[in-house]
Amino acid sequence: MKRSGLGVSFFALALAVSPLLAAAETTAPVAPRGNVVDHLYGKDIPDPYRWMEGQDNKAFQDWLKAQGVVGRAWLDSAPTLAGWRTRLTAASAGSTTNRMQHRVAGRLFFLRLEQGKQGVLMQRKPDGSEMVLLDPNAVAATGGHASVTNYSVSADGLTIAVNVDHGGNEITTIEFYNTDTGARLPDQLDNIWGEFSVDWTPDGKAVTYTQMAPAGDQVDQMLNMRARYHVMGTPVTQDKTLLVSGGNPTIAIAPQEFPGVGVSADSDWVTAIIGGARAQIRTCILPRAKLLAANPTWNCLINYDDEVQGVNLKGHTFYAISKKGAPNGKLLTIDLAVSPTLDKARVLLPQSDADVLTGTNVARDALYVRYMHNGEDVFVRAPYDGGAMKAVPLPYHGAAYLTDSDPMVDGLVFTLQSWTQPRKLFAYDPARGLSDLNLGANSPKDYAAAIDILNVEAKSADGTLVPVTILQPKGYKPDGKVLSLLDAYGGYGQATQPFFDPMTLEWVMAGHVYAFVSVRGGGEKGDAWRLAGKSALKYKGVEDLIGAADYMVSHGYSRKDHVAIYGASMGGLIMGGAVAHYPDRFGAAIIHAGILNPTRLAVMPNGPNQFAETADPGTADGFTILTNMDPYLAIKPGKTWPAVMLDVGLNDNRVTPWNSGKFGAALMAAGDTKVVYRTDADSGHFGTSLSQAAAEKADHYTFLEKAMGN
């Protein structure tokens, strides 16, 4: 494998970019073209914007910031922007959202989001009084960004570990606080990915945690993570590394895998969960008494080819959600005290033909099993004594994005929300039934009275029927005059389910239509739907989206040039593919932090973590798959392109911004099209506050109306 072409030098880039920065307010900086050509697996792959790649690339950062200034000026010149800002700011100001709720030892912990502020970490005590535990807005007031991304509470409820992001890049510090006094404890864990909190030992004296590799020559900070053990009150230099790539011969871990050690309050076993950006997980078990031994022998029950997508532990009973031979999921149990092997597993719940098994929660009284039925969640209570299974009564149809239970307490805590009803927090107890804990979210207005929800199916290119949920003004009869915005993702088996978002609903309240397209690659129809849009079949998700765009035209909602598409992150492959291959089927696209150059995953921070979903560019077959799906490589001159907004958080550590840089530069060079960069210096992959969401959506909707006509 060879690469030819030296590209453009840094000196040449400085000459090309620097004069443009001075004029950036009126002139978009033209991206210099290099002459890099990769010769890989018998293919010649031109990459004229290779110079944009790399960490701390000042030339690219200057170019992108200049593009952001031009994009900002273009948006600010739109007469509708002020109206959208006013409208969405009012919706944001009228919203209070409580999220990340957990019930521990009679206390409720939660994150409260209000307009203009980062989420405040709170607790509600048993007497009903509320107390602020950590207000990141006070931290940010002294300079810089701060936000809470996760937390975990000790089993006695007396100590809380909080992930605090100080840079907007999702790399956090875990701080510890006394929940009675709010006093910060001296313990601190650094360099933690924002989604990974700690697991507490039952006595509350120690935690397990997953830490990113030490800073050094490693460019990709998502590689070589390690699971560690910290004893409260001791120096972190004494923390023991439990799992790391190459660390223990009984539990092989690849550099791109994320290892974690789970500790249960009522079990003598610990679990090692190993995974990443994929639906399946690997799981190994170990007696808790051996956890701190030198190189303990782990029993690895589950590998990726076992197609397990969720596990749980109650005493010596191990639960696994398996999709192997059962795309809608079956629930297996293993008695670790008798036969701790997967081949001895018993099927507790066989596959359902109509419902998709999505999760389990262990409580003292029973196992609570979550199913998805036509995109909406239902729960079944399965008593441990083998008693009759019964459905948990729900007050309305919706999605339960949060479920919470305690193996030492009866019942289940969960949120429930619909497309037009804000989330509520409910507690279910078999003795007392269902109760509203009054700790969900409020709505700035009655959207249910003003919006109709239609569930339809659009036909894809191969005839497959694709679920589409349309949100439209109450009583609207398609007249071909509205703007239709189609939202899709299609990755990792993640299902599109109802969620309440005033920022989305205000688009509909303004007289437009918003539609969610459940393209293949997601999990709306079980694991078969995920596999039908994975890797070499990723193009099927693109075709599904185009089928939905055609539906909006053929059913009289909009003209083609009044249909827009939106996608983020892995959804960028769907949106970018639609722009590159079907530019004449819609009028505009918004791509937020999208993966748009997957052939370069190997050199992309967090890129190797995506190989399982896409393909490995280090193999001939994988490289062919990636070149076929690569939106950046598919942009060729000679077509008429839709208007495109590329929304980029400058601190993004999940999808490096040069994906958007290269794709936009290729589009601008390929023809006369409007490419608008929206950049945010205070966000990473996504913003973290309601005010950031309002500002972003105001820009998105302004872009669509200005680009397509209101």
Side-chain angles (χ1 to χ4, degrees), residues 10 19 35 295 391 404 543 577 591 597 603:
F10 181 82
N35 59 353
N295 289 322
D404 186 53
E543 293 179 349
I591 307 176
N597 187 200
V603 299

Side-chain angles (χ1 to χ4, degrees), residues 47 66 116 126 151 231-232 247 328 331 364 411 414-415 450 469 482 490 514 584 675 685 693:
D47 191 357
Y151 69 89
V231 177
M232 296 296 293
N328 281 358
L331 186 62
R364 181 172 58 187
F414 61 94
T415 60
T469 298
V482 303
Y514 205 115
D584 60 338
V675 177
H685 201 50

Side-chain angles (χ1 to χ4, degrees), residues 59 79 141 153 157 159 171 285 290 323 330 415 454 456 459-460 476 548 601 686 692:
V153 186
T159 312
I171 300 175
I285 59 169
K290 297 181 179 180
K323 301 294 178 78
K330 59 187 175 184
T415 60
L454 279 68
V456 302
K459 185 174 290 188
S460 192
Y476 171 71
L601 281 172
F686 292 104
Q692 282 180 308

Side-chain angles (χ1 to χ4, degrees), residues 40-299:
L40 299 170
Y41 305 108
K43 297 181 180 181
D44 294 339
I45 310 294
D47 191 357
Y49 303 107
R50 178 71 58 84
W51 65 267
M52 293 185 177
E53 295 181 8
Q55 298 292 92
D56 302 319
N57 182 339
K58 187 176 186 303
F60 170 62
Q61 291 170 358
D62 286 347
W63 181 87
L64 182 60
K65 289 175 183 176
Q67 283 284 355
V69 171
V70 175
R72 182 74 269 153
W74 187 84
L75 290 167
D76 288 345
S77 69
T80 59
L81 178 60
W84 276 117
R85 282 177 172 169
T86 299
R87 183 182 200 121
L88 297 179
T89 298
S92 173
S95 303
T96 297
T97 299
N98 299 302
R99 53 188 294 265
M100 296 169 60
Q101 301 95 329
H102 293 289
R103 183 175 63 177
V104 183
R107 309 181 190 212
L108 276 167
F109 298 87
F110 57 97
L111 197 68
R112 174 165 289 163
L113 280 77
E114 297 177 297
Q115 197 273 337
K117 297 180 180 179
Q118 295 292 340
V120 177
L121 185 61
M122 307 282 297
Q123 72 164 315
R124 179 183 290 176
K125 298 180 180 181
D127 64 4
S129 63
E130 292 186 352
M131 172 183 174
V132 173
L133 288 172
L134 178 61
D135 184 355
N137 301 285
V139 177
T142 63
H145 169 94
S147 60
V148 174
T149 65
N150 207 342
Y151 69 89
S152 179
V153 186
S154 60
D156 58 12
L158 299 179
T159 312
I160 188 168
V162 188
N163 293 65
V164 184
D165 179 353
H166 288 285
N169 58 8
E170 298 185 87
I171 300 175
T172 66
T173 296
I174 292 184
E175 303 169 1
F176 294 83
Y177 293 85
N178 181 295
T179 60
D180 280 336
T181 65
R184 182 173 175 180
L185 304 179
D187 302 78
Q188 178 173 306
L189 308 175
D190 294 322
N191 212 31
I192 311 294
W193 186 244
E195 291 184 354
F196 300 157
S197 190
V198 306
D199 254 39
W200 289 89
T201 56
D203 60 9
K205 294 181 179 180
V207 298
T208 61
Y209 64 100
T210 299
Q211 186 178 48
M212 304 173 84
D217 296 332
Q218 181 174 298
V219 173
D220 188 349
Q221 293 180 284
M222 304 298 279
L223 295 177
N224 294 305
M225 292 195 189
R226 65 276 322 277
R228 309 192 74 195
Y229 187 93
H230 173 72
V231 177
M232 296 296 293
T234 66
V236 293
T237 54
Q238 297 178 10
D239 289 0
K240 179 179 176 61
T241 296
L242 304 173
L243 301 173
V244 68
S245 180
N248 185 319
T250 69
I251 184 168
I253 299 171
Q256 68 267 28
E257 291 181 305
F258 302 157
V261 174
V263 182
S264 175
D266 76 332
S267 178
D268 292 330
W269 297 84
V270 295
T271 54
I273 307 295
I274 303 159
R278 61 194 306 159
Q280 311 94 328
I281 56 174
R282 296 170 52 211
T283 309
C284 306
I285 59 169
L286 181 75
R288 192 168 69 209
K290 297 181 179 180
L291 181 60
L292 299 181
N295 289 322
T297 300
W298 288 86
N299 175 9

